[in-house]
Amino acid sequence: QVHLVESGGGRVEPGGSLTLSCVASRPLATSEQMAWYRQVPGKERDIVASITHDGVKGYVGAVKGRFDISRDIATNTVYLQMNDLTSEDTGIYFCNAFMGGQCTWGQGLQVTVSS
C-alpha cells in the first residue's frame, strides 16, 4: 500500500499563487501516475492535473495555462503550483496516486481564494 502525505494549502487573494506538495512512500513505477483533484461542496472530486512515470502531464481545461504539476524524483514528491487564482479555484485539493494497482488518496488540503 502506498502512503501519501500532503502539505500546503491556505488562503490567498484573487490573482495570487499557491503551491501544494505530496510525498509518496515510494517512486512511481512504469504505468503508475499521480494527480491532483479538487472538490467543492456538494460535488464529486474533479481531476485538475496528472503526471505519469514518464513525466507526461495532463490538465483539465479550467486550469490549463495557470497550474503546473511537477515532481522531484529523488524525494517522491509531486507539486501543484497554482497561479492566477480565482474564487472558482476554492475547494479541497487531494493528492491521488495510481500505484500498486490501486488508487490512494491524500488527506485533502483546503484552498480558499478570496479577498
Side-chain angles (χ1 to χ4, degrees), residues 7-10 12-13 15-21 36-38 48-49 59 63 65-69 79-86 89-93 109-113:
S7 61
V12 65
E13 294 184 354
S17 299
L18 201 62
T19 299
L20 311 179
S21 300
W36 287 96
Y37 286 67
R38 67 184 177 190
V48 296
Y59 301 93
V63 308
R66 298 189 297 119
F67 290 14
D68 180 56
I69 187 169
Y79 303 94
L80 183 67
Q81 182 178 348
M82 304 181 291
N83 303 309
D84 195 23
L85 288 162
T86 76
D89 297 312
T90 293
I92 303 174
Y93 285 69
L109 298 169
Q110 178 66 48
V111 173
T112 302
V113 184

PDB file of all heavy atoms in Angstrom, residues 7-10 12-13 15-21 36-38 48-49 59 63 65-69 79-86 89-93 109-113:
ATOM      1  N   SER A   7       0.965  18.569   1.952  1.00  0.00           N
ATOM      2  CA  SER A   7       1.225  19.776   2.708  1.00  0.00           C
ATOM      3  C   SER A   7       0.949  20.977   1.825  1.00  0.00           C
ATOM      4  O   SER A   7       0.976  20.886   0.602  1.00  0.00           O
ATOM      5  CB  SER A   7       2.660  19.815   3.233  1.00  0.00           C
ATOM      6  OG  SER A   7       3.597  19.805   2.167  1.00  0.00           O
ATOM      7  N   GLY A   8       0.694  22.119   2.454  1.00  0.00           N
ATOM      8  CA  GLY A   8       0.362  23.326   1.731  1.00  0.00           C
ATOM      9  C   GLY A   8      -1.091  23.690   1.945  1.00  0.00           C
ATOM     10  O   GLY A   8      -1.721  23.287   2.917  1.00  0.00           O
ATOM     11  N   GLY A   9      -1.625  24.449   1.025  1.00  0.00           N
ATOM     12  CA  GLY A   9      -2.982  24.927   1.151  1.00  0.00           C
ATOM     13  C   GLY A   9      -3.037  26.192   1.985  1.00  0.00           C
ATOM     14  O   GLY A   9      -2.044  26.636   2.557  1.00  0.00           O
ATOM     15  N   GLY A  10      -4.217  26.785   2.041  1.00  0.00           N
ATOM     16  CA  GLY A  10      -4.396  28.003   2.797  1.00  0.00           C
ATOM     17  C   GLY A  10      -5.256  29.003   2.052  1.00  0.00           C
ATOM     18  O   GLY A  10      -5.979  28.660   1.122  1.00  0.00           O
ATOM     19  N   VAL A  12      -5.576  32.624  -0.085  1.00  0.00           N
ATOM     20  CA  VAL A  12      -4.834  33.505  -0.976  1.00  0.00           C
ATOM     21  C   VAL A  12      -5.812  34.454  -1.650  1.00  0.00           C
ATOM     22  O   VAL A  12      -6.981  34.119  -1.870  1.00  0.00           O
ATOM     23  CB  VAL A  12      -4.041  32.685  -2.025  1.00  0.00           C
ATOM     24  CG1 VAL A  12      -4.986  31.923  -2.945  1.00  0.00           C
ATOM     25  CG2 VAL A  12      -3.102  33.574  -2.826  1.00  0.00           C
ATOM     26  N   GLU A  13      -5.352  35.651  -1.974  1.00  0.00           N
ATOM     27  CA  GLU A  13      -6.194  36.627  -2.651  1.00  0.00           C
ATOM     28  C   GLU A  13      -6.312  36.296  -4.135  1.00  0.00           C
ATOM     29  O   GLU A  13      -5.435  35.646  -4.714  1.00  0.00           O
ATOM     30  CB  GLU A  13      -5.619  38.030  -2.481  1.00  0.00           C
ATOM     31  CG  GLU A  13      -5.636  38.528  -1.047  1.00  0.00           C
ATOM     32  CD  GLU A  13      -5.152  39.957  -0.930  1.00  0.00           C
ATOM     33  OE1 GLU A  13      -4.692  40.516  -1.947  1.00  0.00           O
ATOM     34  OE2 GLU A  13      -5.250  40.518   0.175  1.00  0.00           O
ATOM     35  N   GLY A  15      -5.864  36.285  -7.928  1.00  0.00           N
ATOM     36  CA  GLY A  15      -4.680  36.649  -8.673  1.00  0.00           C
ATOM     37  C   GLY A  15      -3.392  36.148  -8.064  1.00  0.00           C
ATOM     38  O   GLY A  15      -2.332  36.246  -8.703  1.00  0.00           O
ATOM     39  N   GLY A  16      -3.466  35.608  -6.868  1.00  0.00           N
ATOM     40  CA  GLY A  16      -2.288  35.117  -6.184  1.00  0.00           C
ATOM     41  C   GLY A  16      -1.923  33.706  -6.585  1.00  0.00           C
ATOM     42  O   GLY A  16      -2.550  33.099  -7.458  1.00  0.00           O
ATOM     43  N   SER A  17      -0.900  33.175  -5.921  1.00  0.00           N
ATOM     44  CA  SER A  17      -0.381  31.848  -6.217  1.00  0.00           C
ATOM     45  C   SER A  17      -0.237  31.031  -4.946  1.00  0.00           C
ATOM     46  O   SER A  17      -0.095  31.569  -3.851  1.00  0.00           O
ATOM     47  CB  SER A  17       0.982  31.941  -6.909  1.00  0.00           C
ATOM     48  OG  SER A  17       0.902  32.621  -8.138  1.00  0.00           O
ATOM     49  N   LEU A  18      -0.258  29.724  -5.118  1.00  0.00           N
ATOM     50  CA  LEU A  18      -0.112  28.796  -4.007  1.00  0.00           C
ATOM     51  C   LEU A  18       0.459  27.499  -4.555  1.00  0.00           C
ATOM     52  O   LEU A  18       0.147  27.113  -5.685  1.00  0.00           O
ATOM     53  CB  LEU A  18      -1.468  28.547  -3.355  1.00  0.00           C
ATOM     54  CG  LEU A  18      -1.518  28.017  -1.921  1.00  0.00           C
ATOM     55  CD1 LEU A  18      -0.875  29.003  -0.954  1.00  0.00           C
ATOM     56  CD2 LEU A  18      -2.958  27.756  -1.520  1.00  0.00           C
ATOM     57  N   THR A  19       1.281  26.827  -3.761  1.00  0.00           N
ATOM     58  CA  THR A  19       1.873  25.561  -4.175  1.00  0.00           C
ATOM     59  C   THR A  19       1.556  24.471  -3.164  1.00  0.00           C
ATOM     60  O   THR A  19       1.748  24.663  -1.962  1.00  0.00           O
ATOM     61  CB  THR A  19       3.400  25.684  -4.335  1.00  0.00           C
ATOM     62  OG1 THR A  19       3.703  26.662  -5.333  1.00  0.00           O
ATOM     63  CG2 THR A  19       3.999  24.347  -4.776  1.00  0.00           C
ATOM     64  N   LEU A  20       1.085  23.332  -3.661  1.00  0.00           N
ATOM     65  CA  LEU A  20       0.786  22.173  -2.847  1.00  0.00           C
ATOM     66  C   LEU A  20       1.852  21.109  -3.070  1.00  0.00           C
ATOM     67  O   LEU A  20       2.415  21.007  -4.155  1.00  0.00           O
ATOM     68  CB  LEU A  20      -0.582  21.593  -3.203  1.00  0.00           C
ATOM     69  CG  LEU A  20      -1.750  22.572  -3.266  1.00  0.00           C
ATOM     70  CD1 LEU A  20      -3.032  21.833  -3.653  1.00  0.00           C
ATOM     71  CD2 LEU A  20      -1.920  23.295  -1.943  1.00  0.00           C
ATOM     72  N   SER A  21       2.101  20.290  -2.042  1.00  0.00           N
ATOM     73  CA  SER A  21       3.089  19.223  -2.125  1.00  0.00           C
ATOM     74  C   SER A  21       2.479  17.902  -1.695  1.00  0.00           C
ATOM     75  O   SER A  21       1.605  17.866  -0.830  1.00  0.00           O
ATOM     76  CB  SER A  21       4.296  19.531  -1.232  1.00  0.00           C
ATOM     77  OG  SER A  21       4.927  20.731  -1.611  1.00  0.00           O
ATOM     78  N   TRP A  36      -3.605  15.520  -8.995  1.00  0.00           N
ATOM     79  CA  TRP A  36      -4.284  16.372  -8.035  1.00  0.00           C
ATOM     80  C   TRP A  36      -5.746  16.501  -8.438  1.00  0.00           C
ATOM     81  O   TRP A  36      -6.056  16.742  -9.613  1.00  0.00           O
ATOM     82  CB  TRP A  36      -3.653  17.765  -7.966  1.00  0.00           C
ATOM     83  CG  TRP A  36      -2.322  17.783  -7.286  1.00  0.00           C
ATOM     84  CD1 TRP A  36      -1.099  17.726  -7.857  1.00  0.00           C
ATOM     85  CD2 TRP A  36      -2.101  17.873  -5.876  1.00  0.00           C
ATOM     86  NE1 TRP A  36      -0.117  17.768  -6.907  1.00  0.00           N
ATOM     87  CE2 TRP A  36      -0.702  17.862  -5.679  1.00  0.00           C
ATOM     88  CE3 TRP A  36      -2.936  17.964  -4.765  1.00  0.00           C
ATOM     89  CZ2 TRP A  36      -0.123  17.938  -4.409  1.00  0.00           C
ATOM     90  CZ3 TRP A  36      -2.361  18.032  -3.503  1.00  0.00           C
ATOM     91  CH2 TRP A  36      -0.975  18.022  -3.338  1.00  0.00           C
ATOM     92  N   TYR A  37      -6.625  16.327  -7.463  1.00  0.00           N
ATOM     93  CA  TYR A  37      -8.056  16.514  -7.634  1.00  0.00           C
ATOM     94  C   TYR A  37      -8.511  17.644  -6.726  1.00  0.00           C
ATOM     95  O   TYR A  37      -7.824  17.987  -5.760  1.00  0.00           O
ATOM     96  CB  TYR A  37      -8.828  15.251  -7.259  1.00  0.00           C
ATOM     97  CG  TYR A  37      -8.751  14.108  -8.250  1.00  0.00           C
ATOM     98  CD1 TYR A  37      -7.568  13.425  -8.482  1.00  0.00           C
ATOM     99  CD2 TYR A  37      -9.894  13.687  -8.933  1.00  0.00           C
ATOM    100  CE1 TYR A  37      -7.507  12.366  -9.370  1.00  0.00           C
ATOM    101  CE2 TYR A  37      -9.852  12.627  -9.818  1.00  0.00           C
ATOM    102  CZ  TYR A  37      -8.650  11.974 -10.030  1.00  0.00           C
ATOM    103  OH  TYR A  37      -8.606  10.916 -10.912  1.00  0.00           O
ATOM    104  N   ARG A  38      -9.677  18.187  -7.019  1.00  0.00           N
ATOM    105  CA  ARG A  38     -10.273  19.144  -6.106  1.00  0.00           C
ATOM    106  C   ARG A  38     -11.771  18.885  -6.000  1.00  0.00           C
ATOM    107  O   ARG A  38     -12.389  18.341  -6.908  1.00  0.00           O
ATOM    108  CB  ARG A  38     -10.000  20.590  -6.527  1.00  0.00           C
ATOM    109  CG  ARG A  38     -10.672  21.030  -7.815  1.00  0.00           C
ATOM    110  CD  ARG A  38     -10.225  22.432  -8.158  1.00  0.00           C
ATOM    111  NE  ARG A  38     -10.769  22.890  -9.425  1.00  0.00           N
ATOM    112  CZ  ARG A  38     -10.383  24.004 -10.033  1.00  0.00           C
ATOM    113  NH1 ARG A  38      -9.441  24.769  -9.493  1.00  0.00           N
ATOM    114  NH2 ARG A  38     -10.940  24.352 -11.190  1.00  0.00           N
ATOM    115  N   VAL A  48      -7.666  17.777 -11.698  1.00  0.00           N
ATOM    116  CA  VAL A  48      -7.166  19.042 -12.211  1.00  0.00           C
ATOM    117  C   VAL A  48      -5.839  18.890 -12.935  1.00  0.00           C
ATOM    118  O   VAL A  48      -5.558  19.652 -13.865  1.00  0.00           O
ATOM    119  CB  VAL A  48      -7.039  20.110 -11.101  1.00  0.00           C
ATOM    120  CG1 VAL A  48      -8.415  20.441 -10.529  1.00  0.00           C
ATOM    121  CG2 VAL A  48      -6.099  19.657  -9.995  1.00  0.00           C
ATOM    122  N   ALA A  49      -5.016  17.929 -12.531  1.00  0.00           N
ATOM    123  CA  ALA A  49      -3.720  17.738 -13.168  1.00  0.00           C
ATOM    124  C   ALA A  49      -3.193  16.353 -12.853  1.00  0.00           C
ATOM    125  O   ALA A  49      -3.504  15.789 -11.797  1.00  0.00           O
ATOM    126  CB  ALA A  49      -2.710  18.797 -12.711  1.00  0.00           C
ATOM    127  N   TYR A  59      -3.834  18.294 -17.906  1.00  0.00           N
ATOM    128  CA  TYR A  59      -4.556  19.299 -17.139  1.00  0.00           C
ATOM    129  C   TYR A  59      -6.001  19.375 -17.601  1.00  0.00           C
ATOM    130  O   TYR A  59      -6.299  19.199 -18.786  1.00  0.00           O
ATOM    131  CB  TYR A  59      -3.933  20.685 -17.312  1.00  0.00           C
ATOM    132  CG  TYR A  59      -2.495  20.778 -16.884  1.00  0.00           C
ATOM    133  CD1 TYR A  59      -1.467  20.580 -17.803  1.00  0.00           C
ATOM    134  CD2 TYR A  59      -2.165  21.067 -15.565  1.00  0.00           C
ATOM    135  CE1 TYR A  59      -0.146  20.665 -17.403  1.00  0.00           C
ATOM    136  CE2 TYR A  59      -0.845  21.154 -15.171  1.00  0.00           C
ATOM    137  CZ  TYR A  59       0.164  20.955 -16.092  1.00  0.00           C
ATOM    138  OH  TYR A  59       1.479  21.043 -15.698  1.00  0.00           O
ATOM    139  N   VAL A  63      -7.863  24.813 -15.705  1.00  0.00           N
ATOM    140  CA  VAL A  63      -6.623  25.222 -15.052  1.00  0.00           C
ATOM    141  C   VAL A  63      -5.439  25.262 -16.003  1.00  0.00           C
ATOM    142  O   VAL A  63      -4.366  25.741 -15.624  1.00  0.00           O
ATOM    143  CB  VAL A  63      -6.281  24.308 -13.860  1.00  0.00           C
ATOM    144  CG1 VAL A  63      -7.456  24.201 -12.913  1.00  0.00           C
ATOM    145  CG2 VAL A  63      -5.847  22.927 -14.336  1.00  0.00           C
ATOM    146  N   GLY A  65      -2.684  26.294 -18.348  1.00  0.00           N
ATOM    147  CA  GLY A  65      -2.067  27.593 -18.513  1.00  0.00           C
ATOM    148  C   GLY A  65      -1.883  28.350 -17.223  1.00  0.00           C
ATOM    149  O   GLY A  65      -1.126  29.329 -17.184  1.00  0.00           O
ATOM    150  N   ARG A  66      -2.566  27.931 -16.162  1.00  0.00           N
ATOM    151  CA  ARG A  66      -2.444  28.590 -14.858  1.00  0.00           C
ATOM    152  C   ARG A  66      -1.780  27.701 -13.819  1.00  0.00           C
ATOM    153  O   ARG A  66      -1.066  28.196 -12.950  1.00  0.00           O
ATOM    154  CB  ARG A  66      -3.812  29.016 -14.332  1.00  0.00           C
ATOM    155  CG  ARG A  66      -4.530  30.035 -15.194  1.00  0.00           C
ATOM    156  CD  ARG A  66      -5.766  30.570 -14.481  1.00  0.00           C
ATOM    157  NE  ARG A  66      -6.752  29.519 -14.230  1.00  0.00           N
ATOM    158  CZ  ARG A  66      -7.162  29.147 -13.017  1.00  0.00           C
ATOM    159  NH1 ARG A  66      -6.690  29.741 -11.940  1.00  0.00           N
ATOM    160  NH2 ARG A  66      -8.073  28.191 -12.889  1.00  0.00           N
ATOM    161  N   PHE A  67      -2.030  26.403 -13.881  1.00  0.00           N
ATOM    162  CA  PHE A  67      -1.476  25.453 -12.923  1.00  0.00           C
ATOM    163  C   PHE A  67      -0.352  24.665 -13.569  1.00  0.00           C
ATOM    164  O   PHE A  67      -0.354  24.424 -14.780  1.00  0.00           O
ATOM    165  CB  PHE A  67      -2.539  24.463 -12.451  1.00  0.00           C
ATOM    166  CG  PHE A  67      -3.606  25.038 -11.555  1.00  0.00           C
ATOM    167  CD1 PHE A  67      -3.784  26.400 -11.418  1.00  0.00           C
ATOM    168  CD2 PHE A  67      -4.436  24.179 -10.854  1.00  0.00           C
ATOM    169  CE1 PHE A  67      -4.774  26.922 -10.596  1.00  0.00           C
ATOM    170  CE2 PHE A  67      -5.425  24.681 -10.029  1.00  0.00           C
ATOM    171  CZ  PHE A  67      -5.600  26.051  -9.900  1.00  0.00           C
ATOM    172  N   ASP A  68       0.586  24.234 -12.753  1.00  0.00           N
ATOM    173  CA  ASP A  68       1.675  23.388 -13.222  1.00  0.00           C
ATOM    174  C   ASP A  68       1.904  22.250 -12.247  1.00  0.00           C
ATOM    175  O   ASP A  68       2.087  22.492 -11.051  1.00  0.00           O
ATOM    176  CB  ASP A  68       2.962  24.189 -13.398  1.00  0.00           C
ATOM    177  CG  ASP A  68       4.118  23.334 -13.889  1.00  0.00           C
ATOM    178  OD1 ASP A  68       3.975  22.690 -14.946  1.00  0.00           O
ATOM    179  OD2 ASP A  68       5.175  23.306 -13.220  1.00  0.00           O
ATOM    180  N   ILE A  69       1.862  21.011 -12.747  1.00  0.00           N
ATOM    181  CA  ILE A  69       2.186  19.858 -11.932  1.00  0.00           C
ATOM    182  C   ILE A  69       3.616  19.450 -12.235  1.00  0.00           C
ATOM    183  O   ILE A  69       4.037  19.433 -13.387  1.00  0.00           O
ATOM    184  CB  ILE A  69       1.198  18.690 -12.166  1.00  0.00           C
ATOM    185  CG1 ILE A  69       1.462  17.560 -11.168  1.00  0.00           C
ATOM    186  CG2 ILE A  69       1.255  18.186 -13.599  1.00  0.00           C
ATOM    187  CD1 ILE A  69       0.368  16.489 -11.162  1.00  0.00           C
ATOM    188  N   TYR A  79       4.253  18.214  -6.940  1.00  0.00           N
ATOM    189  CA  TYR A  79       3.829  19.560  -6.599  1.00  0.00           C
ATOM    190  C   TYR A  79       2.721  20.020  -7.537  1.00  0.00           C
ATOM    191  O   TYR A  79       2.629  19.587  -8.688  1.00  0.00           O
ATOM    192  CB  TYR A  79       4.987  20.545  -6.710  1.00  0.00           C
ATOM    193  CG  TYR A  79       6.182  20.204  -5.858  1.00  0.00           C
ATOM    194  CD1 TYR A  79       7.239  19.464  -6.377  1.00  0.00           C
ATOM    195  CD2 TYR A  79       6.254  20.616  -4.536  1.00  0.00           C
ATOM    196  CE1 TYR A  79       8.338  19.148  -5.597  1.00  0.00           C
ATOM    197  CE2 TYR A  79       7.347  20.308  -3.743  1.00  0.00           C
ATOM    198  CZ  TYR A  79       8.392  19.578  -4.279  1.00  0.00           C
ATOM    199  OH  TYR A  79       9.476  19.271  -3.505  1.00  0.00           O
ATOM    200  N   LEU A  80       1.901  20.900  -7.040  1.00  0.00           N
ATOM    201  CA  LEU A  80       0.938  21.592  -7.874  1.00  0.00           C
ATOM    202  C   LEU A  80       1.096  23.085  -7.616  1.00  0.00           C
ATOM    203  O   LEU A  80       0.728  23.572  -6.550  1.00  0.00           O
ATOM    204  CB  LEU A  80      -0.498  21.163  -7.572  1.00  0.00           C
ATOM    205  CG  LEU A  80      -1.561  21.792  -8.474  1.00  0.00           C
ATOM    206  CD1 LEU A  80      -1.411  21.293  -9.905  1.00  0.00           C
ATOM    207  CD2 LEU A  80      -2.965  21.509  -7.959  1.00  0.00           C
ATOM    208  N   GLN A  81       1.674  23.776  -8.588  1.00  0.00           N
ATOM    209  CA  GLN A  81       1.807  25.222  -8.498  1.00  0.00           C
ATOM    210  C   GLN A  81       0.584  25.857  -9.148  1.00  0.00           C
ATOM    211  O   GLN A  81       0.305  25.610 -10.320  1.00  0.00           O
ATOM    212  CB  GLN A  81       3.081  25.699  -9.180  1.00  0.00           C
ATOM    213  CG  GLN A  81       3.282  27.203  -9.061  1.00  0.00           C
ATOM    214  CD  GLN A  81       4.571  27.680  -9.691  1.00  0.00           C
ATOM    215  OE1 GLN A  81       5.438  26.886 -10.028  1.00  0.00           O
ATOM    216  NE2 GLN A  81       4.699  28.982  -9.843  1.00  0.00           N
ATOM    217  N   MET A  82      -0.125  26.655  -8.386  1.00  0.00           N
ATOM    218  CA  MET A  82      -1.359  27.264  -8.842  1.00  0.00           C
ATOM    219  C   MET A  82      -1.154  28.769  -8.944  1.00  0.00           C
ATOM    220  O   MET A  82      -0.810  29.421  -7.958  1.00  0.00           O
ATOM    221  CB  MET A  82      -2.504  26.942  -7.876  1.00  0.00           C
ATOM    222  CG  MET A  82      -2.703  25.444  -7.661  1.00  0.00           C
ATOM    223  SD  MET A  82      -4.086  25.062  -6.547  1.00  0.00           S
ATOM    224  CE  MET A  82      -3.402  25.658  -5.000  1.00  0.00           C
ATOM    225  N   ASN A  83      -1.374  29.297 -10.124  1.00  0.00           N
ATOM    226  CA  ASN A  83      -1.167  30.716 -10.391  1.00  0.00           C
ATOM    227  C   ASN A  83      -2.455  31.377 -10.855  1.00  0.00           C
ATOM    228  O   ASN A  83      -3.380  30.708 -11.319  1.00  0.00           O
ATOM    229  CB  ASN A  83      -0.088  30.905 -11.460  1.00  0.00           C
ATOM    230  CG  ASN A  83       1.228  30.276 -11.092  1.00  0.00           C
ATOM    231  OD1 ASN A  83       1.753  30.507 -10.010  1.00  0.00           O
ATOM    232  ND2 ASN A  83       1.783  29.481 -12.006  1.00  0.00           N
ATOM    233  N   ASP A  84      -2.489  32.699 -10.750  1.00  0.00           N
ATOM    234  CA  ASP A  84      -3.639  33.483 -11.203  1.00  0.00           C
ATOM    235  C   ASP A  84      -4.942  32.903 -10.664  1.00  0.00           C
ATOM    236  O   ASP A  84      -5.911  32.699 -11.398  1.00  0.00           O
ATOM    237  CB  ASP A  84      -3.660  33.518 -12.731  1.00  0.00           C
ATOM    238  CG  ASP A  84      -4.584  34.585 -13.280  1.00  0.00           C
ATOM    239  OD1 ASP A  84      -4.868  35.560 -12.563  1.00  0.00           O
ATOM    240  OD2 ASP A  84      -5.043  34.436 -14.435  1.00  0.00           O
ATOM    241  N   LEU A  85      -4.962  32.660  -9.376  1.00  0.00           N
ATOM    242  CA  LEU A  85      -6.097  32.000  -8.752  1.00  0.00           C
ATOM    243  C   LEU A  85      -7.336  32.892  -8.710  1.00  0.00           C
ATOM    244  O   LEU A  85      -7.238  34.114  -8.554  1.00  0.00           O
ATOM    245  CB  LEU A  85      -5.733  31.565  -7.340  1.00  0.00           C
ATOM    246  CG  LEU A  85      -4.755  30.380  -7.264  1.00  0.00           C
ATOM    247  CD1 LEU A  85      -4.117  30.307  -5.887  1.00  0.00           C
ATOM    248  CD2 LEU A  85      -5.464  29.080  -7.608  1.00  0.00           C
ATOM    249  N   THR A  86      -8.490  32.264  -8.849  1.00  0.00           N
ATOM    250  CA  THR A  86      -9.774  32.942  -8.737  1.00  0.00           C
ATOM    251  C   THR A  86     -10.629  32.222  -7.707  1.00  0.00           C
ATOM    252  O   THR A  86     -10.285  31.142  -7.230  1.00  0.00           O
ATOM    253  CB  THR A  86     -10.518  32.968 -10.081  1.00  0.00           C
ATOM    254  OG1 THR A  86     -11.077  31.674 -10.353  1.00  0.00           O
ATOM    255  CG2 THR A  86      -9.585  33.356 -11.216  1.00  0.00           C
ATOM    256  N   ASP A  89     -11.435  28.546  -7.975  1.00  0.00           N
ATOM    257  CA  ASP A  89     -10.445  27.546  -7.604  1.00  0.00           C
ATOM    258  C   ASP A  89     -10.564  27.124  -6.149  1.00  0.00           C
ATOM    259  O   ASP A  89      -9.836  26.231  -5.706  1.00  0.00           O
ATOM    260  CB  ASP A  89      -9.035  28.075  -7.872  1.00  0.00           C
ATOM    261  CG  ASP A  89      -8.788  28.364  -9.337  1.00  0.00           C
ATOM    262  OD1 ASP A  89      -9.108  27.485 -10.174  1.00  0.00           O
ATOM    263  OD2 ASP A  89      -8.282  29.459  -9.659  1.00  0.00           O
ATOM    264  N   THR A  90     -11.442  27.750  -5.403  1.00  0.00           N
ATOM    265  CA  THR A  90     -11.634  27.395  -3.997  1.00  0.00           C
ATOM    266  C   THR A  90     -12.164  25.972  -3.868  1.00  0.00           C
ATOM    267  O   THR A  90     -13.072  25.566  -4.589  1.00  0.00           O
ATOM    268  CB  THR A  90     -12.600  28.374  -3.327  1.00  0.00           C
ATOM    269  OG1 THR A  90     -12.001  29.668  -3.264  1.00  0.00           O
ATOM    270  CG2 THR A  90     -12.935  27.932  -1.907  1.00  0.00           C
ATOM    271  N   GLY A  91     -11.591  25.212  -2.948  1.00  0.00           N
ATOM    272  CA  GLY A  91     -12.041  23.853  -2.720  1.00  0.00           C
ATOM    273  C   GLY A  91     -11.035  23.075  -1.909  1.00  0.00           C
ATOM    274  O   GLY A  91     -10.041  23.618  -1.431  1.00  0.00           O
ATOM    275  N   ILE A  92     -11.306  21.800  -1.747  1.00  0.00           N
ATOM    276  CA  ILE A  92     -10.379  20.901  -1.074  1.00  0.00           C
ATOM    277  C   ILE A  92      -9.592  20.154  -2.138  1.00  0.00           C
ATOM    278  O   ILE A  92     -10.174  19.539  -3.038  1.00  0.00           O
ATOM    279  CB  ILE A  92     -11.108  19.903  -0.157  1.00  0.00           C
ATOM    280  CG1 ILE A  92     -11.958  20.650   0.868  1.00  0.00           C
ATOM    281  CG2 ILE A  92     -10.103  19.001   0.551  1.00  0.00           C
ATOM    282  CD1 ILE A  92     -12.818  19.738   1.722  1.00  0.00           C
ATOM    283  N   TYR A  93      -8.295  20.207  -2.032  1.00  0.00           N
ATOM    284  CA  TYR A  93      -7.414  19.586  -3.010  1.00  0.00           C
ATOM    285  C   TYR A  93      -6.831  18.298  -2.456  1.00  0.00           C
ATOM    286  O   TYR A  93      -6.325  18.262  -1.335  1.00  0.00           O
ATOM    287  CB  TYR A  93      -6.295  20.555  -3.402  1.00  0.00           C
ATOM    288  CG  TYR A  93      -6.773  21.651  -4.324  1.00  0.00           C
ATOM    289  CD1 TYR A  93      -7.627  22.645  -3.858  1.00  0.00           C
ATOM    290  CD2 TYR A  93      -6.384  21.678  -5.663  1.00  0.00           C
ATOM    291  CE1 TYR A  93      -8.089  23.639  -4.707  1.00  0.00           C
ATOM    292  CE2 TYR A  93      -6.835  22.672  -6.513  1.00  0.00           C
ATOM    293  CZ  TYR A  93      -7.686  23.649  -6.026  1.00  0.00           C
ATOM    294  OH  TYR A  93      -8.133  24.638  -6.873  1.00  0.00           O
ATOM    295  N   LEU A 109      -6.452  19.124   1.252  1.00  0.00           N
ATOM    296  CA  LEU A 109      -5.948  20.437   1.651  1.00  0.00           C
ATOM    297  C   LEU A 109      -6.955  21.503   1.257  1.00  0.00           C
ATOM    298  O   LEU A 109      -7.388  21.564   0.106  1.00  0.00           O
ATOM    299  CB  LEU A 109      -4.612  20.738   0.983  1.00  0.00           C
ATOM    300  CG  LEU A 109      -3.441  19.805   1.293  1.00  0.00           C
ATOM    301  CD1 LEU A 109      -2.286  20.077   0.346  1.00  0.00           C
ATOM    302  CD2 LEU A 109      -2.990  19.964   2.736  1.00  0.00           C
ATOM    303  N   GLN A 110      -7.313  22.354   2.201  1.00  0.00           N
ATOM    304  CA  GLN A 110      -8.244  23.434   1.907  1.00  0.00           C
ATOM    305  C   GLN A 110      -7.514  24.577   1.218  1.00  0.00           C
ATOM    306  O   GLN A 110      -6.486  25.054   1.700  1.00  0.00           O
ATOM    307  CB  GLN A 110      -8.901  23.944   3.185  1.00  0.00           C
ATOM    308  CG  GLN A 110      -9.857  25.116   2.962  1.00  0.00           C
ATOM    309  CD  GLN A 110     -11.067  24.729   2.153  1.00  0.00           C
ATOM    310  OE1 GLN A 110     -11.704  23.710   2.433  1.00  0.00           O
ATOM    311  NE2 GLN A 110     -11.391  25.534   1.134  1.00  0.00           N
ATOM    312  N   VAL A 111      -8.048  24.999   0.089  1.00  0.00           N
ATOM    313  CA  VAL A 111      -7.557  26.171  -0.626  1.00  0.00           C
ATOM    314  C   VAL A 111      -8.716  27.154  -0.748  1.00  0.00           C
ATOM    315  O   VAL A 111      -9.770  26.814  -1.286  1.00  0.00           O
ATOM    316  CB  VAL A 111      -7.015  25.807  -2.020  1.00  0.00           C
ATOM    317  CG1 VAL A 111      -6.675  27.071  -2.810  1.00  0.00           C
ATOM    318  CG2 VAL A 111      -5.796  24.911  -1.897  1.00  0.00           C
ATOM    319  N   THR A 112      -8.520  28.344  -0.238  1.00  0.00           N
ATOM    320  CA  THR A 112      -9.550  29.373  -0.287  1.00  0.00           C
ATOM    321  C   THR A 112      -9.002  30.595  -1.002  1.00  0.00           C
ATOM    322  O   THR A 112      -7.970  31.141  -0.601  1.00  0.00           O
ATOM    323  CB  THR A 112     -10.012  29.758   1.124  1.00  0.00           C
ATOM    324  OG1 THR A 112     -10.504  28.602   1.801  1.00  0.00           O
ATOM    325  CG2 THR A 112     -11.107  30.814   1.059  1.00  0.00           C
ATOM    326  N   VAL A 113      -9.699  31.016  -2.035  1.00  0.00           N
ATOM    327  CA  VAL A 113      -9.307  32.192  -2.804  1.00  0.00           C
ATOM    328  C   VAL A 113     -10.365  33.259  -2.583  1.00  0.00           C
ATOM    329  O   VAL A 113     -11.500  33.130  -3.050  1.00  0.00           O
ATOM    330  CB  VAL A 113      -9.161  31.874  -4.294  1.00  0.00           C
ATOM    331  CG1 VAL A 113      -8.646  33.099  -5.039  1.00  0.00           C
ATOM    332  CG2 VAL A 113      -8.226  30.691  -4.505  1.00  0.00           C
TER     333      VAL A 113
END
